[in-house]
Amino acid sequence: MIHPTAQIGENVEIGEYTIIEENVMIGDNVSIGHHTVIKRDTLIGNHVSVGNSTTLGKSPASNRKMARKPDSDLTPLIILDNVKIADHCVIYQDVLLMDGVFIGDAASIRENVEIGKDSIVGRNVMIENNTQIGENVTIQTSSYITADMIIEDEVFIGPCVSSSNDKYMGEGNYVYQGPILKRGCKVGNNATLLPSVIIGNNAVVGAGAVVTKDIEDDVTVVGNPAKILN
């Protein structure tokens, strides 16, 4: 079903049972798979590929227990040119995917997130809200990117990395801050990054390390807690 107010460009392929809601804008040479839902006001550029059973432009929800309620006035999802989104993804409103971004199968991206040019979000990655991701970043399979996190350009995050932004685990009444990953740093698989830690430029966090405090530029850390490798 395509809403009559949707604007569809030239040479667009749309799969069976796909729903395109009101005021959606789709550019030229776009491919959209089967059973996909594109929510109202979503903007899609040229040469974009969207897989099967994916939801684009989802609105956030909450309940009484949630400490931070989602904003009620969010901007539309914007997908720029040459983006590839695989099957079974969920991408919320107020997300900006820059040119050339790749999103793997079953990834989820919450609201108020920006992902820079040519970055890769791997299969089954979860990116929480209020997070900024730079250009040429790689986030590999099943990593958890917490809310309020900053990832600068050229960062590499291995599989199953976990991050957190809540030092007091649900007590509330304080500022949330996820880790800050500076340009060119690398984080090995299954590493854990605690709230507000800063990983320096070109630093390396070894596989399985638990980072509890800031890491300087150009060093390698390993272990639990993570310490500089001599």
Side-chain angles (χ1 to χ4, degrees), residues 10-218:
E10 298 181 356
N11 194 31
V12 174
E13 299 179 2
I14 300 174
E16 295 184 358
Y17 305 107
T18 283
I19 297 174
I20 300 175
E21 293 186 351
E22 59 264 40
N23 301 319
V24 169
M25 297 181 63
I26 299 175
D28 300 333
N29 303 303
V30 171
S31 173
I32 300 169
H34 308 301
H35 298 273
T36 283
V37 177
I38 304 177
K39 305 295 286 184
R40 61 182 302 167
D41 301 322
T42 296
L43 305 177
I44 299 176
N46 302 314
H47 305 284
V48 171
S49 173
V50 180
N52 304 305
S53 302
T54 282
T55 299
L56 301 179
K58 179 181 173 67
S59 298
S62 66
N63 70 0
R64 288 178 295 179
K65 187 178 185 299
M66 290 181 66
R68 293 191 300 176
K69 303 298 188 291
D71 292 335
S72 58
D73 185 21
L74 297 173
T75 62
L77 167 62
I78 300 175
I79 300 169
L80 297 188
D81 297 346
N82 304 301
V83 170
K84 292 180 172 58
I85 301 170
D87 295 350
H88 300 283
C89 296
V90 179
I91 303 177
Y92 281 64
Q93 293 175 279
D94 203 12
V95 169
L96 174 59
L97 303 180
M98 302 295 283
D99 189 273
V101 166
F102 177 86
I103 309 294
D105 294 331
S108 179
I109 303 173
R110 287 282 305 275
E111 70 275 9
N112 192 21
V113 169
E114 179 176 330
I115 302 179
K117 182 179 178 182
D118 294 327
S119 288
I120 297 170
V121 175
R123 180 182 176 88
N124 199 41
V125 167
M126 175 69 211
I127 299 175
E128 295 281 16
N129 51 309
N130 306 324
T131 290
Q132 301 297 306
I133 298 172
E135 298 182 358
N136 297 303
V137 170
T138 297
I139 304 172
Q140 293 199 330
T141 300
S142 296
S143 286
Y144 177 75
I145 305 302
T146 191
D148 310 291
M149 190 163 171
I150 299 172
I151 302 173
E152 295 187 355
D153 299 343
E154 309 287 347
V155 168
F156 176 91
I157 298 174
C160 301
V161 168
S162 178
S163 56
S164 56
N165 70 340
D166 185 354
K167 183 181 293 186
Y168 302 104
M169 294 184 288
E171 293 297 323
N173 299 318
Y174 51 86
V175 175
Y176 295 89
Q177 177 60 63
I180 299 173
L181 276 57
K182 305 294 283 186
R183 184 183 180 94
C185 71
K186 301 179 187 298
V187 182
N189 58 293
N190 289 293
T192 299
L193 309 179
L194 269 59
S196 72
V197 296
I198 299 173
I199 311 299
N201 294 288
N202 302 307
V204 176
V205 176
V210 179
V211 180
T212 61
K213 60 182 180 181
D214 295 350
I215 304 300
E216 298 176 356
D217 296 348
D218 303 308

